[in-house]
């Protein structure tokens, strides 16, 4: 059953392509937009178009940016001896939020995942290697602490260590504010393993 | 903490305005769109704009349409003696799906809700009354079976009955395929009340 308006139908179809949006939510969005002020709807339409025209990837670290290289890569305040390797651009935001990291970044664009057909050549590993000049003292691997993220971290260690570069991995352990009781075993064993002298 | 790209930030803000979309989902949508084919992203942008330019409300029944009056109001196959009153245009789709109804519709544009400041003048009740000529034999009130929907139905009955028009209300009862055991009391008592001789 389709809507009497072909445009409404098409809008539902296009919105359903967004991650986690089914036909029902897309329908709600469309009815919301039909009632919303024209200005707001046009602003949404325009900014979606601009995403494709204005936003690009930094040619150095592959973070999203509107100027190339991005503001982190060009900043004079960042420690150029430190490169933090992440899976996706949004991981950079998460780390920047801490305010604790002042080095550079490198976005891999995913993780090794043989089942999904993602091999080393599909990630920006060559691009990482080309950035490793004498200035770089340490590479911090901040891929997610799941199977693929760990495998990718190990892969990077195996390449980078023989090059004489210090490679570190973000700590896995009990999240701040949570409860030992509810931690799963592998997290807890990682937390014990990674204990720090006080 | 904001994204390095002002456009990404703006896209997140505009998408967050959609019903049920928070900042996190909006972020996911934006990253999805950044990776999606340009063609698809532009199609989405365009169809959102078209929603405002092409889709309007039928001047007779207030259903969404691209031609005025809508295809239901102009159809020769519909029973013009029957008007089904619904809250919103998507209710029409739900009823059309049954394939059982062949009359006309009237979209109220909401329900009476004094708490939200919605009174009779905010609904398209006057517009409904102006449609009630000698041809109209029955008005079916298909507002939702909740407090506001019932109040609105009662209000309509009180206006329409004195005009000598037959007013009916869609049946409330046990949903087909469900279980008596799990039906709430008011639904069950409505089901008993509305029993039909076999």
């Amino acid at each position: 059953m389709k809507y009497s308006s072909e445009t409404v139908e098409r809008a539902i179809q296009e919105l359903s392509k967004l991650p986690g949006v089914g036909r029902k939510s897309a329908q709600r969005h469309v009815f919301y937009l039909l009632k919303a002020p024209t200005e707001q709807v046009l602003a949404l339409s325009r900014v979606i178009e601009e995403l494709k025209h204005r936003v690009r990837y930094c040619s150095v670290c592959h973070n999203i940016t509107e100027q190339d290289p991005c503001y982190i890569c060009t900043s004079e305040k960042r420690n150029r001896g430190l490169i933090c390797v992440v899976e996706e651009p949004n991981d950079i935001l998460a780390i920047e939020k801490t305010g604790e990291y002042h080095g550079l970044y490198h976005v891999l664009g995913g993780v090794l995942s043989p089942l999904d057909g993602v091999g080393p050549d599909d990630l920006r590993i060559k691009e990482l290697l080309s950035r490793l000049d004498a200035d770089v003292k340490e590479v911090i691997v901040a891929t997610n602490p799941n199977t693929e993220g760990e495998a990718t971290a190990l892969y990077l260690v195996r390449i980078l260590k023989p090059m004489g570069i210090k490679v570190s991995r973000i700590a896995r352990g009990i999240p701040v504010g949570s409860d030992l009781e509810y931690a799963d075993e592998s997290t807890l064993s990682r937390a014990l393993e990674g204990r720090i002298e006080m």
Side-chain angles (χ1 to χ4, degrees), chain A residues 2-135:
Chain A
K2 291 184 173 183
Y3 278 96
S4 50
S5 153
E6 179 269 337
T7 308
V8 166
E9 193 51 45
R10 213 151 27 86
I12 292 173
Q13 269 165 25
E14 291 298 332
L15 282 165
S16 307
K17 292 180 186 167
L18 293 175
V21 176
R23 197 179 154 87
K24 280 271 168 186
S25 323
Q27 240 168 261
R28 274 176 68 207
H29 293 343
V30 167
F31 280 103
Y32 169 83
L33 289 172
L34 284 172
K35 283 192 169 184
T38 306
E39 218 173 288
Q40 183 192 330
V41 178
L42 296 186
L44 175 63
S45 162
R46 235 176 292 124
V47 81
I48 288 174
E49 193 195 326
E50 282 172 16
L51 277 182
K52 275 295 169 197
H53 292 146
R54 285 207 191 170
V55 183
R56 64 192 94 183
Y57 292 96
C58 171
S59 59
V60 180
C61 73
H62 304 278
N63 187 13
I64 49 167
T65 183
E66 293 186 32
Q67 59 186 73
D68 188 18
C70 76
Y71 80 104
I72 295 178
C73 287
T74 50
S75 166
E76 307 236 318
K77 289 180 188 157
R78 314 288 303 208
N79 178 354
R80 312 196 80 80
L82 220 50
I83 295 182
C84 179
V85 176
V86 294
E87 294 180 17
E88 300 289 350
N90 32 350
D91 298 323
I92 294 184
L93 185 74
I95 296 175
E96 285 293 289
K97 269 184 188 163
T98 67
E100 297 283 333
Y101 180 72
H102 303 291
L104 305 177
Y105 291 97
H106 189 82
V107 180
L108 284 180
V111 271
L112 294 177
S113 176
L115 285 177
D116 301 320
V118 181
D121 291 341
D122 301 311
L123 305 179
R124 296 192 201 93
I125 293 178
K126 257 183 240 137
E127 289 87 336
L128 172 63
L129 298 182
S130 74
R131 291 179 64 187
L132 300 177
D133 54 25
D135 287 347

Side-chain angles (χ1 to χ4, degrees), chain A residues 145 169-173 194 196:
Chain A
R169 178 89 175 98
I170 47 164
R172 283 131 306 175
I196 294 167

Side-chain angles (χ1 to χ4, degrees), chain A residues 159-174:
Chain A
I159 299 182
L160 299 174
K161 271 242 172 140
M163 299 172 68
I165 289 163
K166 184 178 166 186
V167 187
S168 59
R169 178 89 175 98
I170 47 164
R172 283 131 306 175
I174 312 293

Side-chain angles (χ1 to χ4, degrees), chain A residues 134-168:
Chain A
D135 287 347
V136 179
K137 307 291 178 236
E138 182 178 350
V139 169
I140 303 172
V141 184
T143 52
N144 289 318
N146 52 28
T147 319
E148 288 92 353
E150 296 294 356
T152 310
L154 282 176
Y155 182 88
L156 289 176
V157 169
R158 233 175 291 155
I159 299 182
L160 299 174
K161 271 242 172 140
M163 299 172 68
I165 289 163
K166 184 178 166 186
V167 187
S168 59

